Amino acid sequence: MKLLRASPAYHEKSKQYGKKDGLFAFLLFGVMVLLYAVLGLLAVHSSFVKSHITAAGCLVNLLLVAVAILFAKANGQSLATIGLSGGNWKASCIAGILLGAVFVFNNCVSHLLSGGQLLPLGEIGVLLVYFLLVALCEEIVFRGYIGTRIYGLIQKKWLAIAVTGILFVAMHYPYRMIAGGMTFSQLTFDNFGWILNLFFTHVLLNFIYLKTDSLYGAILPHWLSNLAYNIVQ
């Protein structure tokens, strides 16, 4: 179906990646899992990190972006190959804003209508910046780098998207298991709805990227979704 086809630019870029790029994608995923596991351990065993967990999370995410860009540059690839330049950024942003509006209603407005209350403005300001950084970093690492380089190992488009989605869900496990003191089965079966939501959100965000060849339409709803969910009490 034409609706499900990637944009010509995205399609051409995905064809250029080989096995080396696919291996780099999995290497970046491994680095991400390791850093999040370390962050979880520090959150449990270091009172300083626990009291500054937002700042620590920002540093880890920035480090991951630096690694992704370093990997791209080491293989002679520009920022356009991770969706940060070029592409149909206007269409991408419009699609991202529309999807973000749905997330805001579902994650925030619906709860306010049911009697929930917003956090104080100062806390919302901090979360606004924090979740923008989280969305930017995770999109660069997953949709921008891993989700494209994985074509070097997996040639079928929707299989590549599915595998990347599984990795996207899996990368949330180390920190939540360690910092939350949960087993794998507890996190999986007690939060199955959350897992499905993560996976299908990945599919939607990846769809915007492959249709527009611009990552901004994935960054915006990712940011708005996380922010909306966390500013209601």
Side-chain angles (χ1 to χ4, degrees):
M1 293 176 62
K2 186 176 180 180
L3 177 64
L4 301 179
R5 292 177 188 167
S7 70
Y10 183 96
H11 179 68
E12 286 302 314
K13 283 194 297 188
S14 65
K15 286 168 57 179
Q16 74 181 6
Y17 302 120
K19 291 183 179 179
K20 179 182 177 183
D21 296 291
L23 293 175
F24 266 92
F26 279 98
L27 177 59
L28 180 57
F29 172 74
V31 172
M32 191 176 212
V33 168
L34 176 62
L35 288 179
Y36 281 162
V38 170
L39 181 62
L41 288 170
L42 290 175
V44 171
H45 298 290
S46 170
S47 58
F48 177 81
V49 172
K50 186 175 182 179
S51 61
H52 296 84
I53 192 63
T54 300
C58 289
L59 288 175
V60 168
N61 279 292
L62 287 172
L63 179 57
L64 287 167
V65 170
V67 173
I69 294 175
L70 178 63
F71 281 3
K73 293 295 185 181
N75 288 292
Q77 298 158 354
S78 68
L79 292 181
T81 64
I82 53 176
L84 293 180
S85 63
N88 191 344
W89 66 269
K90 290 182 180 179
S92 183
C93 287
I94 291 171
I97 290 171
L98 291 174
L99 180 59
V102 174
F103 288 154
V104 168
F105 179 83
N106 184 64
N107 294 349
C108 179
V109 177
S110 63
H111 296 295
L112 292 176
L113 294 174
S114 300
Q117 293 184 330
L118 289 174
L119 294 175
L121 286 178
E123 293 183 36
I124 291 176
V126 172
L127 292 177
L128 187 149
V129 176
Y130 172 69
F131 284 117
L132 177 59
L133 179 62
V134 169
L136 177 65
C137 294
E138 289 188 359
E139 290 306 318
I140 290 174
V141 171
F142 265 91
R143 254 65 65 183
Y145 192 93
I146 294 176
T148 52
R149 274 64 177 178
I150 204 170
Y151 285 104
L153 296 174
I154 304 173
Q155 299 295 323
K156 295 183 179 180
K157 179 179 63 178
W158 290 105
L159 179 58
I161 290 173
V163 171
T164 307
I166 293 170
L167 295 179
F168 182 61
V169 171
M171 74 91 174
H172 289 81
Y173 270 64
Y175 179 80
R176 287 176 179 265
M177 286 176 59
I178 296 171
M182 291 183 284
T183 65
F184 179 86
S185 60
Q186 285 175 328
L187 181 56
T188 302
F189 297 110
D190 293 347
N191 299 275
F192 196 67
W194 165 73
I195 291 172
L196 289 177
N197 181 63
L198 275 179
F199 182 83
F200 285 110
T201 297
H202 155 76
V203 173
L204 289 173
L205 299 183
N206 206 112
F207 181 73
I208 293 175
Y209 181 31
L210 71 85
K211 291 298 290 185
T212 64
D213 194 39
S214 175
L215 202 59
Y216 298 108
I219 294 169
L220 286 170
H222 191 153
W223 169 46
L224 292 172
S225 177
N226 286 348
L227 177 66
Y229 183 80
N230 286 279
I231 62 176
V232 182
Q233 56 183 353

